């Protein structure tokens, strides 16, 4: 029962909290009240059984506890007035109203007036219901630091009066992009942790996918939402093949494709197609997802449609130019026009200095030089990549490849 | 809710532009903007400031008043003026801030005014 209760709490807490924040107008009070309600649930549900509508039950109990708390505080007239207003407010909560609350919470947590790290932390804490300790662990900071970050973010929402609402039509495209950026950041931190021992943190990938699914059901028919959801599902479908049993990285060309999740790949491909149909000018997430779909659908590394992938990177360059996209395009180009042509692109990119400090730049160079048989230069490039990479399994892969390049270069 | 909109611009560039057509256009844009937010009821107060070359900084340490020439901090952009506005939330305040002509070349800091629950302390 307790295990089942945990699952219910994980499912319902974001939505219940979202409604309580609207009713109470205060993040902290809403969180405290929800905790009270949850304690009450742990007391009564195991013996009396779970109510038919657990979320409505939690919200209504929490609302009553919040009134008690406000009454006990007493000192402020305004709080007293709020308690009275709350008592007279209806305890009935329609389904639409509750769904709207969740969207309000998402848009408030991802408001551009908050620092990016605060947006991510607040979203994981309140929308996903992760405990502060887990959010802290996910971003490699201490629990006290993370708690402080959350306190500051909530104080800014209150004191600067960041509105608790879904943005209107003219602000929507920009704000929705902001929400998607937060979700993608959570996913990327899970897909390739920026440092540490483990390559992936699956729970973060799963949270990001859960968030995007939720957004897709609350705001159907948005190209960006479907594109991002498809992109993440397609990447995540390869999770079992990306690392071997000893935790080492397996490169795409060596991955056992039978371990990729076929049903997830098909779902991702459907989302890509649907996303691309929604807009005349494709959404950048949809284009990235289309690239992932081509990889996922290829029978083998050699049979991958590299020409189309390189073309899609070209589309992405026009929609959303960035040096990282250029680097990826060069890597794809190496499979179409050969590593020599790709190396010219990478060297031009390196000369501009925009990717300085980014380990994948020397790693890509190293790979191209290796394929060109320039083993000595490849060794030096692997060294440069090793000096920059912060993730242990990636470093081990680079070290293995560097050793091989160094060995081959002495044969001549 | 009241917000103070602090307008920061590069003084040297502003001084260099004085008297040009662009400068004249900016002045009339300020007049239009101010008239507009007075009409919509958002305007509470607003002024332009003399340049930081006229600024004096005052500190009191151990009961002694120290007076120094110049602004509190040397920065690339300087405080050149402000508006005090009434807005329903931060989204409305930032939308108004974005219409200030100074935001096109410099930047506008939006600060909520602190409210004391029992009146000013």
């Amino acid at each position: 029962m307790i295990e089942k209760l945990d699952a219910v709490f994980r499912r319902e807490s974001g939505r219940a909290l979202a409604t309580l924040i609207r009713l109470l107008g205060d993040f902290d009070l809403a969180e405290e009240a929800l905790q009270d309600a949850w304690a009450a649930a742990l007391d009564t549900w195991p013996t009396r059984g779970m109510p038919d509508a657990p979320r409505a039950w939690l919200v209504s109990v929490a609302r009553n506890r919040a009134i008690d708390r406000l009454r006990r505080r007493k000192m402020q007239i305004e709080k007293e007035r709020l308690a009275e207003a709350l008592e007279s407010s209806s305890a009935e909560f329609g389904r639409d109203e509750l769904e709207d609350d969740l969207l309000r919470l998402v848009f408030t947590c991802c408001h551009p007036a908050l620092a990016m790290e605060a947006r991510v932390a607040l979203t994981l804490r309140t929308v996903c219901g992760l405990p502060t300790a887990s959010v802290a662990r996910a971003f490699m900071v201490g629990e006290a630091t993370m708690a402080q970050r959350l306190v500051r973010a909530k104080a800014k929402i209150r004191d600067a009066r960041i509105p608790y609402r879904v943005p209107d039509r003219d602000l929507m495209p920009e704000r929705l992009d902001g929400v998607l950026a937060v979700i993608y950041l959570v996913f990327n931190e899970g897909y390739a942790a920026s440092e540490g021992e483990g390559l992936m943190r699956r729970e973060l990938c799963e949270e990001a996918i859960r968030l995007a699914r939720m957004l897709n059901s609350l705001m159907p028919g948005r190209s960006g939402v479907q594109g991002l959801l498809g992109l993440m599902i397609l990447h995540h479908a390869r999770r079992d093949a990306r690392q071997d049993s000893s935790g080492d990285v397996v490169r795409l060309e060596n991955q056992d494709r039978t371990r990729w999740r076929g049903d997830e790949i098909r779902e991702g491909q459907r989302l890509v197609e649907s996303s691309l149909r929604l807009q005349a000018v494709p959404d950048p997430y949809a284009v990235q997802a289309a690239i992932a779909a081509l990889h996922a659908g290829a029978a083998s590394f050699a049979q991958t449609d590299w020409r189309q992938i390189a073309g899609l990177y070209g589309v992405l360059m026009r929609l959303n130019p960035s040096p990282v996209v250029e680097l990826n395009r060069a890597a794809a180009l190496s499979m179409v026009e050969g590593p020599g042509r790709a190396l010219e692109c990478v060297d031009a990119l390196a000369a501009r200095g925009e990717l300085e400090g980014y380990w994948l730049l020397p790693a890509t160079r190293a790979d191209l030089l290796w394929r060109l048989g320039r083993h000595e230069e490849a060794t030096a490039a692997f060294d440069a990549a090793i000096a920059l990479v912060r993730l242990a399994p990636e470093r081990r892969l680079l070290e293995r490849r560097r050793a091989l390049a160094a060995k081959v270069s002495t044969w001549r | 809710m009241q917000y103070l909109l602090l307008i920061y611009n590069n003084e040297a560039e502003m001084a260099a532009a004085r008297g040009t057509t662009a400068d004249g256009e900016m002045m009339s844009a300020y007049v239009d903007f101010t008239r507009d937010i007075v009409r919509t009821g958002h305007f509470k107060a607003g002024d332009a400031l003399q340049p930081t070359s006229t600024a004096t900084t005052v500190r009191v340490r151990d009961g002694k008043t120290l007076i120094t020439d110049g602004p509190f901090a040397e920065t690339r952009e300087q405080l050149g003026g402000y508006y005090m506005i009434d807005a329903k939330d931060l989204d409305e305040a930032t939308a108004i801030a974005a219409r200030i002509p100074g935001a096109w070349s410099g930047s506008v800091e939006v600060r909520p005014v602190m409210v004391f629950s029992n009146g000013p302390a």
Side-chain angles (χ1 to χ4, degrees):
Chain A
M1 180 77 180
I2 295 295
E3 229 166 76
K4 202 174 154 215
L5 288 182
D6 270 343
V8 172
F9 188 64
R10 282 287 277 118
R11 201 178 61 232
E12 302 295 350
S13 71
R15 288 178 153 85
L17 186 63
T19 297
L20 287 166
I21 291 170
R22 173 173 54 82
L23 292 173
L24 304 172
D26 185 310
F27 270 69
D28 289 326
L29 184 60
E31 276 177 331
E32 287 166 14
L34 183 58
Q35 264 165 26
D36 288 347
W38 185 238
L42 284 174
D43 272 352
T44 57
W45 292 4
T47 51
R48 274 188 260 163
M50 193 184 299
D52 293 336
R55 190 191 311 158
W57 189 96
L58 285 168
V59 168
S60 124
V61 170
R63 177 174 151 276
N64 293 332
R65 297 299 162 100
I67 293 171
D68 292 345
R69 275 179 181 273
L70 287 172
R71 284 266 147 78
R72 255 180 279 133
R73 287 189 202 167
K74 277 257 182 206
M75 65 223 187
Q76 281 153 332
I77 307 158
E78 206 178 321
K79 298 254 156 135
E80 187 63 22
R81 241 189 290 126
L82 177 61
E84 273 161 27
L86 264 177
E87 264 185 337
S88 61
S89 77
S90 160
E92 297 297 310
F93 309 103
R95 194 177 170 279
D96 288 350
E97 186 80 322
L98 292 178
E99 301 293 79
D100 284 352
D101 282 336
L102 192 56
L103 264 188
R104 282 187 194 104
L105 181 59
V106 169
F107 279 100
T108 303
C109 289
C110 296
H111 196 278
L114 298 169
M116 194 59 174
E117 55 185 19
R119 289 182 228 169
V120 172
L122 210 52
T123 303
L124 287 175
R125 176 74 193 91
T126 62
V127 183
C128 302
L130 291 189
T132 305
S134 306
V135 182
R137 223 174 14 254
F139 291 90
M140 310 263 177
V141 299
E143 194 178 338
T145 308
M146 183 51 76
Q148 189 62 33
R149 195 178 286 175
L150 288 165
V151 166
R152 280 210 205 104
K154 285 184 281 187
K156 178 155 186 189
I157 291 174
R158 184 187 62 231
D159 297 338
R161 198 174 289 177
I162 290 177
Y164 195 63
R165 67 156 181 263
V166 177
D168 26 302
R169 197 191 300 247
D170 51 330
L171 276 179
M172 182 52 98
E174 166 197 336
R175 292 289 164 87
L176 183 58
D177 278 353
V179 172
L180 297 181
V182 167
I183 296 176
Y184 197 32
L185 202 129
V186 171
F187 182 83
N188 278 327
E189 195 52 39
Y191 182 78
S194 50
E195 57 191 317
E197 190 48 43
L199 175 68
M200 290 174 268
R201 271 174 289 162
R202 290 184 187 200
E203 69 284 3
L204 284 184
C205 294
E206 279 152 20
E207 279 317 325
I209 290 174
R210 199 166 78 96
L211 274 168
R213 272 194 206 287
M214 182 198 89
L215 206 57
N216 193 34
S217 71
L218 294 174
M219 313 178 75
R222 300 269 175 172
S223 177
V225 178
Q226 293 189 4
L228 177 60
L229 178 57
L231 173 64
M232 296 191 300
I233 288 174
L234 287 163
H235 279 324
H236 196 54
R238 294 194 287 104
R239 60 192 170 279
D240 295 328
R242 290 177 58 217
Q243 254 178 318
D244 65 16
S245 53
S246 56
D248 279 331
V249 179
V250 181
R251 301 174 65 206
L252 183 61
E253 56 190 279
N254 301 325
Q255 286 177 13
D256 174 2
R257 295 183 180 223
T258 62
R259 302 189 69 198
W260 293 359
R261 309 283 175 109
D263 47 340
E264 293 176 18
I265 289 174
R266 280 184 293 279
E267 188 196 1
Q269 286 166 333
R270 278 194 302 275
L271 281 160
V272 175
E273 285 164 22
S274 147
S275 167
L276 288 171
R277 268 198 304 271
L278 284 167
Q279 271 179 212
V281 177
D283 182 273
Y285 287 119
V287 178
Q288 291 179 71
I291 293 169
L294 285 172
H295 281 299
S300 70
F301 189 74
Q303 286 167 274
T304 307
D305 190 346
W306 292 106
R307 191 167 296 280
Q308 210 187 143
I309 289 177
L312 286 171
Y313 275 118
V315 171
L316 209 49
M317 274 306 286
R318 282 197 296 280
L319 293 174
N320 214 355
S322 93
V324 173
V325 172
E326 218 175 317
L327 184 66
N328 283 318
R329 189 172 68 127
L333 212 60
S334 78
M335 301 302 293
V336 183
E337 297 182 20
R341 174 76 192 93
L343 187 62
E344 285 172 28
C345 300
V346 172
D347 283 341
L349 193 55
R352 298 213 309 267
E354 290 163 6
L355 284 179
E356 214 172 283
Y358 183 54
W359 71 276
L360 277 171
L361 179 77
T364 307
R365 274 197 83 232
D367 180 63
L368 297 171
L369 288 163
W370 163 264
R371 284 158 57 192
L372 287 165
R374 291 156 64 176
H375 301 121
E376 238 169 278
E377 290 167 85
T379 308
F382 277 125
D383 279 334
I386 290 164
L388 293 172
V389 74
R390 288 163 68 194
L391 195 64
E394 294 283 11
R395 173 175 306 114
R396 288 199 298 273
L397 172 65
L398 290 169
E399 281 166 352
R400 283 197 303 277
R401 300 191 69 199
R402 188 234 175 249
L404 192 61
K407 198 161 146 196
V408 175
S409 66
T410 60
W411 288 351
R412 274 186 290 166
Chain B
M1 175 130 167
Q2 293 198 351
Y3 295 87
L4 184 64
L5 311 182
L6 299 146
I7 306 161
Y8 287 86
N9 279 106
N10 186 306
E11 271 179 4
E13 285 169 17
M14 300 288 278
R18 194 138 307 138
T20 62
T21 325
D23 186 49
E25 280 168 6
M26 186 170 227
M27 286 314 295
S28 62
Y30 263 109
V31 172
D32 290 346
F33 167 75
T34 308
R35 192 176 295 147
D36 223 41
I37 60 170
V38 169
R39 187 177 53 75
T40 54
H42 293 105
F43 179 89
K44 304 302 283 180
D47 285 292
L49 302 178
Q50 294 280 5
T52 51
S53 57
T54 64
T56 306
T57 300
V58 177
R59 294 178 177 83
V60 179
R61 296 288 182 274
D62 301 324
K64 273 203 302 207
T65 301
L66 300 168
I67 293 185
T68 47
D69 171 50
F72 164 66
E74 296 287 350
T75 48
R76 212 186 62 80
E77 288 179 337
Q78 294 79 24
L79 181 63
Y82 74 93
Y83 285 95
M84 176 78 89
I85 61 159
D86 232 343
K88 70 174 194 294
D89 56 38
L90 186 65
D91 279 353
E92 191 177 54
T94 53
I96 291 171
R99 287 163 49 208
I100 298 178
W104 309 338
S105 53
S107 40
V108 178
E109 182 175 322
V110 178
R111 292 281 290 271
V113 171
M114 195 183 283
V115 181
F116 296 93
S117 43
N118 305 314

